[in-house]
Every structure is written in structure tokens, then in C-alpha cells.
Short mmCIF file of all heavy atoms in Angstrom, two decimals:
data_model
loop_
_atom_site.label_atom_id
_atom_site.label_comp_id
_atom_site.label_asym_id
_atom_site.label_seq_id
_atom_site.Cartn_x
_atom_site.Cartn_y
_atom_site.Cartn_z
N SER A 1 102.75 138.98 45.49
CA SER A 1 102.38 140.46 45.11
C SER A 1 101.82 141.12 46.33
O SER A 1 102.13 142.29 46.47
CB SER A 1 101.31 140.37 43.98
OG SER A 1 101.82 139.73 42.84
N ALA A 2 101.05 140.50 47.08
CA ALA A 2 100.50 141.14 48.31
C ALA A 2 101.68 141.64 49.19
O ALA A 2 101.65 142.77 49.70
CB ALA A 2 99.73 140.21 49.13
N LEU A 3 102.76 140.79 49.48
CA LEU A 3 103.83 141.22 50.33
C LEU A 3 104.62 142.36 49.61
O LEU A 3 105.03 143.25 50.40
CB LEU A 3 104.76 140.05 50.38
CG LEU A 3 106.04 140.22 51.34
CD1 LEU A 3 105.54 140.63 52.74
CD2 LEU A 3 106.86 138.94 51.37
N TYR A 4 104.75 142.40 48.33
CA TYR A 4 105.46 143.47 47.65
C TYR A 4 104.74 144.80 47.88
O TYR A 4 105.40 145.80 48.26
CB TYR A 4 105.52 143.22 46.18
CG TYR A 4 105.91 144.39 45.32
CD1 TYR A 4 107.39 144.64 45.24
CD2 TYR A 4 105.01 145.25 44.77
CE1 TYR A 4 107.80 145.71 44.51
CE2 TYR A 4 105.46 146.34 44.04
CZ TYR A 4 106.85 146.61 43.94
OH TYR A 4 107.24 147.72 43.17
N TRP A 5 103.45 144.80 47.75
CA TRP A 5 102.73 146.03 47.88
C TRP A 5 102.49 146.51 49.33
O TRP A 5 102.51 147.69 49.64
CB TRP A 5 101.31 146.00 47.17
CG TRP A 5 101.45 145.98 45.67
CD1 TRP A 5 101.41 145.04 44.77
CD2 TRP A 5 101.71 147.20 44.95
NE1 TRP A 5 101.57 145.46 43.60
CE2 TRP A 5 101.80 146.83 43.57
CE3 TRP A 5 101.94 148.56 45.26
CZ2 TRP A 5 102.03 147.74 42.58
CZ3 TRP A 5 102.19 149.46 44.23
CH2 TRP A 5 102.23 149.09 42.91
N ILE A 6 102.45 145.61 50.23
CA ILE A 6 102.34 145.92 51.70
C ILE A 6 103.69 146.53 52.09
O ILE A 6 103.65 147.56 52.91
CB ILE A 6 101.89 144.79 52.54
CG1 ILE A 6 100.43 144.38 52.24
CG2 ILE A 6 102.07 145.17 54.07
CD1 ILE A 6 99.40 145.43 52.51
N LYS A 7 104.76 145.97 51.69
CA LYS A 7 106.04 146.58 51.96
C LYS A 7 106.23 147.94 51.42
O LYS A 7 106.76 148.79 52.14
CB LYS A 7 107.23 145.60 51.50
CG LYS A 7 107.40 144.39 52.37
CD LYS A 7 108.67 143.56 51.88
CE LYS A 7 109.03 142.41 52.83
NZ LYS A 7 110.14 141.69 52.35
N LYS A 8 105.79 147.98 50.24
CA LYS A 8 105.82 149.36 49.59
C LYS A 8 104.89 150.42 50.40
O LYS A 8 105.43 151.58 50.55
CB LYS A 8 105.33 149.27 48.11
CG LYS A 8 105.51 150.56 47.23
CD LYS A 8 105.15 150.23 45.89
CE LYS A 8 105.45 151.43 44.97
NZ LYS A 8 106.92 151.66 44.84
N ALA A 9 103.82 150.00 50.84
CA ALA A 9 102.90 150.83 51.63
C ALA A 9 103.61 151.21 52.82
O ALA A 9 103.55 152.47 53.39
CB ALA A 9 101.62 150.13 51.95
N VAL A 10 104.27 150.33 53.52
CA VAL A 10 105.09 150.65 54.81
C VAL A 10 106.11 151.66 54.52
O VAL A 10 106.41 152.58 55.32
CB VAL A 10 105.58 149.39 55.48
CG1 VAL A 10 106.45 149.71 56.65
CG2 VAL A 10 104.45 148.52 55.98
N GLU A 11 106.78 151.51 53.47
CA GLU A 11 107.81 152.50 53.07
C GLU A 11 107.34 153.91 52.80
O GLU A 11 107.91 154.93 53.31
CB GLU A 11 108.53 152.04 51.78
CG GLU A 11 109.40 150.82 51.91
CD GLU A 11 109.91 150.30 50.51
OE1 GLU A 11 109.78 150.99 49.50
OE2 GLU A 11 110.62 149.29 50.42
N ILE A 12 106.05 154.01 52.32
CA ILE A 12 105.48 155.30 52.08
C ILE A 12 104.96 155.82 53.36
O ILE A 12 105.17 157.02 53.70
CB ILE A 12 104.35 155.06 51.09
CG1 ILE A 12 104.88 154.74 49.69
CG2 ILE A 12 103.61 156.52 50.96
CD1 ILE A 12 103.80 154.28 48.73
N ASN A 13 104.31 155.09 54.17
CA ASN A 13 103.76 155.60 55.47
C ASN A 13 103.87 154.49 56.57
O ASN A 13 102.89 153.70 56.76
CB ASN A 13 102.32 155.86 55.27
CG ASN A 13 101.62 156.60 56.49
OD1 ASN A 13 102.39 156.79 57.50
ND2 ASN A 13 100.33 156.84 56.38
N PRO A 14 105.00 154.51 57.26
CA PRO A 14 105.27 153.46 58.27
C PRO A 14 104.29 153.55 59.47
O PRO A 14 104.23 152.64 60.31
CB PRO A 14 106.67 153.59 58.68
CG PRO A 14 107.02 155.08 58.33
CD PRO A 14 106.15 155.38 57.10
N THR A 15 103.63 154.67 59.69
CA THR A 15 102.94 154.91 60.92
C THR A 15 101.38 154.61 60.76
O THR A 15 100.57 154.75 61.69
CB THR A 15 103.02 156.31 61.38
OG1 THR A 15 102.45 157.27 60.40
CG2 THR A 15 104.42 156.71 61.73
N SER A 16 101.00 154.22 59.58
CA SER A 16 99.52 153.94 59.31
C SER A 16 99.02 152.76 60.14
O SER A 16 99.80 151.93 60.48
CB SER A 16 99.29 153.66 57.88
OG SER A 16 97.99 153.34 57.60
N HIS A 17 97.72 152.86 60.51
CA HIS A 17 97.06 151.80 61.38
C HIS A 17 97.83 151.50 62.64
O HIS A 17 98.18 150.34 62.94
CB HIS A 17 96.97 150.45 60.51
CG HIS A 17 96.14 150.69 59.27
ND1 HIS A 17 94.75 150.99 59.28
CD2 HIS A 17 96.46 150.50 58.05
CE1 HIS A 17 94.33 151.05 58.07
NE2 HIS A 17 95.33 150.75 57.27
N HIS A 18 98.25 152.60 63.31
CA HIS A 18 98.92 152.45 64.63
C HIS A 18 100.34 151.79 64.36
O HIS A 18 100.88 151.06 65.25
CB HIS A 18 98.16 151.73 65.65
CG HIS A 18 96.86 152.44 66.01
ND1 HIS A 18 96.71 153.54 66.66
CD2 HIS A 18 95.62 151.95 65.68
CE1 HIS A 18 95.55 153.88 66.85
NE2 HIS A 18 94.74 152.90 66.28
N SER A 19 100.92 151.96 63.18
CA SER A 19 102.26 151.38 62.86
C SER A 19 102.19 149.82 62.86
O SER A 19 103.12 149.17 63.28
CB SER A 19 103.35 151.85 63.72
OG SER A 19 103.45 153.32 63.68
N SER A 20 100.94 149.30 62.49
CA SER A 20 100.68 147.85 62.65
C SER A 20 100.97 146.99 61.41
O SER A 20 100.91 145.76 61.47
CB SER A 20 99.28 147.65 63.05
OG SER A 20 98.39 147.97 62.01
N GLU A 21 101.41 147.63 60.28
CA GLU A 21 101.51 146.84 59.00
C GLU A 21 102.71 145.79 59.12
O GLU A 21 102.71 144.90 58.33
CB GLU A 21 101.73 147.78 57.85
CG GLU A 21 100.43 148.47 57.48
CD GLU A 21 99.38 147.54 56.87
OE1 GLU A 21 99.38 146.34 57.10
OE2 GLU A 21 98.49 148.13 56.04
N TRP A 22 103.61 145.95 60.10
CA TRP A 22 104.62 144.90 60.35
C TRP A 22 103.95 143.61 60.57
O TRP A 22 104.50 142.47 60.22
CB TRP A 22 105.58 145.37 61.43
CG TRP A 22 104.90 145.31 62.82
CD1 TRP A 22 104.28 146.34 63.45
CD2 TRP A 22 105.01 144.23 63.77
NE1 TRP A 22 103.90 145.96 64.73
CE2 TRP A 22 104.28 144.69 64.88
CE3 TRP A 22 105.40 142.97 63.76
CZ2 TRP A 22 104.12 143.88 65.97
CZ3 TRP A 22 105.27 142.16 64.85
CH2 TRP A 22 104.61 142.58 65.94
N ILE A 23 102.74 143.56 61.23
CA ILE A 23 102.02 142.39 61.54
C ILE A 23 101.59 141.73 60.15
O ILE A 23 101.60 140.53 59.97
CB ILE A 23 100.88 142.58 62.48
CG1 ILE A 23 101.35 143.11 63.88
CG2 ILE A 23 100.03 141.31 62.62
CD1 ILE A 23 100.33 143.47 64.83
N HIS A 24 101.07 142.59 59.30
CA HIS A 24 100.60 142.18 58.01
C HIS A 24 101.70 141.52 57.23
O HIS A 24 101.58 140.52 56.47
CB HIS A 24 100.00 143.37 57.23
CG HIS A 24 99.12 142.92 56.13
ND1 HIS A 24 98.29 143.86 55.43
CD2 HIS A 24 98.82 141.73 55.47
CE1 HIS A 24 97.63 143.19 54.42
NE2 HIS A 24 97.99 141.91 54.56
N ILE A 25 102.86 142.12 57.31
CA ILE A 25 104.02 141.62 56.63
C ILE A 25 104.34 140.23 57.21
O ILE A 25 104.62 139.24 56.52
CB ILE A 25 105.30 142.49 56.81
CG1 ILE A 25 105.00 143.82 55.88
CG2 ILE A 25 106.53 141.80 56.33
CD1 ILE A 25 106.05 144.88 56.10
N LYS A 26 104.28 140.08 58.56
CA LYS A 26 104.61 138.68 59.21
C LYS A 26 103.62 137.66 58.70
O LYS A 26 103.98 136.54 58.50
CB LYS A 26 104.55 138.92 60.71
CG LYS A 26 105.75 139.59 61.38
CD LYS A 26 106.88 138.72 61.53
CE LYS A 26 107.87 139.30 62.38
NZ LYS A 26 109.08 138.42 62.58
N ILE A 27 102.32 138.12 58.54
CA ILE A 27 101.33 137.15 58.13
C ILE A 27 101.66 136.64 56.72
O ILE A 27 101.63 135.46 56.45
CB ILE A 27 99.94 137.85 58.19
CG1 ILE A 27 99.51 138.14 59.59
CG2 ILE A 27 98.83 137.04 57.41
CD1 ILE A 27 98.27 138.99 59.65
N LEU A 28 101.93 137.58 55.86
CA LEU A 28 102.14 137.24 54.42
C LEU A 28 103.51 136.39 54.35
O LEU A 28 103.56 135.39 53.56
CB LEU A 28 102.33 138.45 53.61
CG LEU A 28 101.05 139.27 53.37
CD1 LEU A 28 101.35 140.56 52.75
CD2 LEU A 28 100.08 138.50 52.54
N GLN A 29 104.51 136.72 55.20
CA GLN A 29 105.69 135.90 55.16
C GLN A 29 105.40 134.45 55.65
O GLN A 29 105.95 133.53 55.14
CB GLN A 29 106.74 136.50 56.02
CG GLN A 29 107.32 137.78 55.40
CD GLN A 29 108.24 138.51 56.36
OE1 GLN A 29 108.16 138.42 57.56
NE2 GLN A 29 109.13 139.38 55.81
N ALA A 30 104.47 134.31 56.63
CA ALA A 30 104.16 132.99 57.16
C ALA A 30 103.39 132.22 56.09
O ALA A 30 103.63 130.99 55.93
CB ALA A 30 103.34 133.16 58.44
N LYS A 31 102.53 132.89 55.34
CA LYS A 31 101.81 132.22 54.25
C LYS A 31 102.77 131.71 53.25
O LYS A 31 102.48 130.62 52.70
CB LYS A 31 100.76 133.19 53.71
CG LYS A 31 99.45 133.36 54.53
CD LYS A 31 98.49 134.27 53.78
CE LYS A 31 97.15 134.27 54.41
NZ LYS A 31 96.13 135.08 53.56
N LEU A 32 103.71 132.51 52.84
CA LEU A 32 104.59 132.10 51.78
C LEU A 32 105.48 130.96 52.31
O LEU A 32 105.78 130.01 51.50
CB LEU A 32 105.57 133.34 51.39
CG LEU A 32 104.78 134.44 50.51
CD1 LEU A 32 105.67 135.62 50.44
CD2 LEU A 32 104.34 133.93 49.18
N LYS A 33 105.85 131.00 53.49
CA LYS A 33 106.66 129.92 54.07
C LYS A 33 105.82 128.60 54.14
O LYS A 33 106.43 127.51 53.91
CB LYS A 33 107.24 130.33 55.42
CG LYS A 33 108.29 129.37 56.00
CD LYS A 33 108.92 129.95 57.22
CE LYS A 33 110.07 129.08 57.80
NZ LYS A 33 110.65 129.60 58.95
N ALA A 34 104.58 128.72 54.48
CA ALA A 34 103.77 127.55 54.60
C ALA A 34 103.39 126.98 53.25
O ALA A 34 103.22 125.70 53.14
CB ALA A 34 102.54 127.98 55.32
N LYS A 35 103.39 127.81 52.24
CA LYS A 35 103.04 127.35 50.86
C LYS A 35 101.72 126.59 50.88
O LYS A 35 101.54 125.45 50.36
CB LYS A 35 104.11 126.41 50.31
CG LYS A 35 105.44 127.08 50.17
CD LYS A 35 106.47 126.15 49.53
CE LYS A 35 107.82 126.90 49.35
NZ LYS A 35 108.94 126.02 48.87
N ASP A 36 100.69 127.24 51.45
CA ASP A 36 99.38 126.71 51.55
C ASP A 36 99.21 125.54 52.40
O ASP A 36 98.20 124.78 52.40
CB ASP A 36 98.71 126.39 50.14
CG ASP A 36 98.68 127.68 49.23
OD1 ASP A 36 98.33 128.70 49.84
OD2 ASP A 36 98.89 127.59 48.15
N ASN A 37 100.24 125.23 53.20
CA ASN A 37 100.12 124.13 54.12
C ASN A 37 99.48 124.58 55.46
O ASN A 37 100.23 125.19 56.33
CB ASN A 37 101.57 123.56 54.43
CG ASN A 37 101.54 122.37 55.42
OD1 ASN A 37 100.50 121.97 55.94
ND2 ASN A 37 102.73 121.82 55.65
N GLN A 38 98.24 124.36 55.66
CA GLN A 38 97.46 124.78 56.77
C GLN A 38 98.04 124.16 58.14
O GLN A 38 98.01 124.78 59.09
CB GLN A 38 95.97 124.38 56.60
CG GLN A 38 95.33 125.29 55.60
CD GLN A 38 94.98 126.63 56.06
OE1 GLN A 38 94.35 126.84 57.02
NE2 GLN A 38 95.47 127.63 55.29
N LYS A 39 98.54 122.98 58.02
CA LYS A 39 99.07 122.28 59.15
C LYS A 39 100.22 123.11 59.73
O LYS A 39 100.41 123.29 60.97
CB LYS A 39 99.54 120.90 58.83
CG LYS A 39 100.05 120.17 60.09
CD LYS A 39 100.42 118.71 59.67
CE LYS A 39 100.85 117.99 60.99
NZ LYS A 39 101.27 116.50 60.64
N TYR A 40 101.08 123.67 58.85
CA TYR A 40 102.27 124.52 59.26
C TYR A 40 101.75 125.66 60.01
O TYR A 40 102.28 126.05 61.06
CB TYR A 40 103.12 124.86 58.08
CG TYR A 40 104.22 125.81 58.38
CD1 TYR A 40 105.44 125.37 58.80
CD2 TYR A 40 104.03 127.18 58.30
CE1 TYR A 40 106.46 126.23 59.01
CE2 TYR A 40 105.07 128.12 58.64
CZ TYR A 40 106.30 127.62 59.04
OH TYR A 40 107.23 128.52 59.36
N LEU A 41 100.69 126.33 59.47
CA LEU A 41 100.20 127.53 60.07
C LEU A 41 99.58 127.18 61.44
O LEU A 41 99.66 128.19 62.30
CB LEU A 41 99.22 128.21 59.16
CG LEU A 41 99.77 128.82 57.84
CD1 LEU A 41 98.68 129.32 56.95
CD2 LEU A 41 100.80 129.90 58.10
N TRP A 42 98.96 126.19 61.62
CA TRP A 42 98.38 125.86 62.88
C TRP A 42 99.44 125.55 63.89
O TRP A 42 99.30 125.87 65.14
CB TRP A 42 97.46 124.56 62.84
CG TRP A 42 96.06 124.79 62.17
CD1 TRP A 42 95.62 124.31 60.97
CD2 TRP A 42 95.07 125.56 62.74
NE1 TRP A 42 94.38 124.73 60.81
CE2 TRP A 42 94.00 125.57 61.83
CE3 TRP A 42 94.91 126.42 63.88
CZ2 TRP A 42 92.67 126.24 62.05
CZ3 TRP A 42 93.70 127.05 64.11
CH2 TRP A 42 92.67 126.94 63.26
N GLU A 43 100.60 125.04 63.49
CA GLU A 43 101.64 124.57 64.40
C GLU A 43 102.66 125.71 64.75
O GLU A 43 103.51 125.58 65.64
CB GLU A 43 102.43 123.45 63.85
CG GLU A 43 101.44 122.12 63.75
CD GLU A 43 102.15 121.02 63.12
OE1 GLU A 43 103.31 121.22 62.48
OE2 GLU A 43 101.62 119.86 63.21
N HIS A 44 102.54 126.84 64.06
CA HIS A 44 103.60 127.89 64.26
C HIS A 44 102.97 129.25 64.53
O HIS A 44 101.96 129.65 63.81
CB HIS A 44 104.52 128.07 63.00
CG HIS A 44 105.32 126.86 62.67
ND1 HIS A 44 104.90 125.57 62.12
CD2 HIS A 44 106.67 126.64 63.06
CE1 HIS A 44 105.89 124.76 62.11
NE2 HIS A 44 106.99 125.38 62.59
N SER A 45 103.44 129.89 65.58
CA SER A 45 102.94 131.19 65.92
C SER A 45 103.28 132.24 64.81
O SER A 45 104.42 132.12 64.19
CB SER A 45 103.50 131.69 67.25
OG SER A 45 103.18 133.05 67.51
N ILE A 46 102.44 133.23 64.54
CA ILE A 46 102.68 134.25 63.49
C ILE A 46 103.74 135.19 64.03
O ILE A 46 104.67 135.55 63.31
CB ILE A 46 101.46 134.95 63.09
CG1 ILE A 46 100.39 133.90 62.58
CG2 ILE A 46 101.78 135.90 61.94
CD1 ILE A 46 100.76 133.10 61.44
N LEU A 47 103.56 135.68 65.23
CA LEU A 47 104.45 136.72 65.73
C LEU A 47 105.51 136.18 66.77
O LEU A 47 106.34 136.98 67.14
CB LEU A 47 103.54 137.77 66.42
CG LEU A 47 102.48 138.37 65.63
CD1 LEU A 47 101.67 139.46 66.37
CD2 LEU A 47 103.02 138.97 64.35
N SER A 48 105.46 134.90 67.13
CA SER A 48 106.45 134.35 67.98
C SER A 48 106.55 135.12 69.27
O SER A 48 107.63 135.32 69.85
CB SER A 48 107.80 134.33 67.39
OG SER A 48 107.74 133.57 66.19
#
């Protein structure tokens, strides 16, 4: 749900917070990919 609403926020105003919400989207995508596996998040860069 968080990813849905952040993407919606970016669609409405892509320049908010110095156009930084793409980072928030990357974070949420990494969380969903990890599926609460902290080890995965420690081993993989968020922004590559």
C-alpha cells in the first residue's frame, strides 16, 4: 500500500522534496523484494 500511494504522489507532483521520491520508491521496492529478509537488505545496495 505504501508503494501504491508514493507512486501516486509522484504522479501528482514529481518535483516534491527536490524530486527525491524516486528514492522512496526504490526503498519500498527493495523491501518488497526482500520480504522482511534483513540479510538481503544488508547485502544489496538500495540505489546501486
Side-chain angles (χ1 to χ4, degrees):
S1 297
L3 182 58
Y4 170 83
W5 283 104
I6 293 299
K7 282 185 173 181
K8 190 174 184 66
V10 172
E11 289 175 6
I12 299 169
N13 183 5
T15 62
S16 180
H17 300 298
H18 302 289
S19 303
S20 68
E21 287 288 24
W22 68 273
I23 297 176
H24 199 167
I25 290 173
K26 287 278 190 182
I27 291 169
L28 292 168
Q29 289 173 337
K31 282 187 170 186
L32 289 170
K33 192 171 184 178
K35 296 180 180 178
D36 297 323
N37 180 1
Q38 289 286 300
K39 185 178 180 181
Y40 174 88
L41 292 173
W42 282 115
E43 293 175 349
H44 292 80
S45 170
I46 304 302
L47 304 183
S48 300

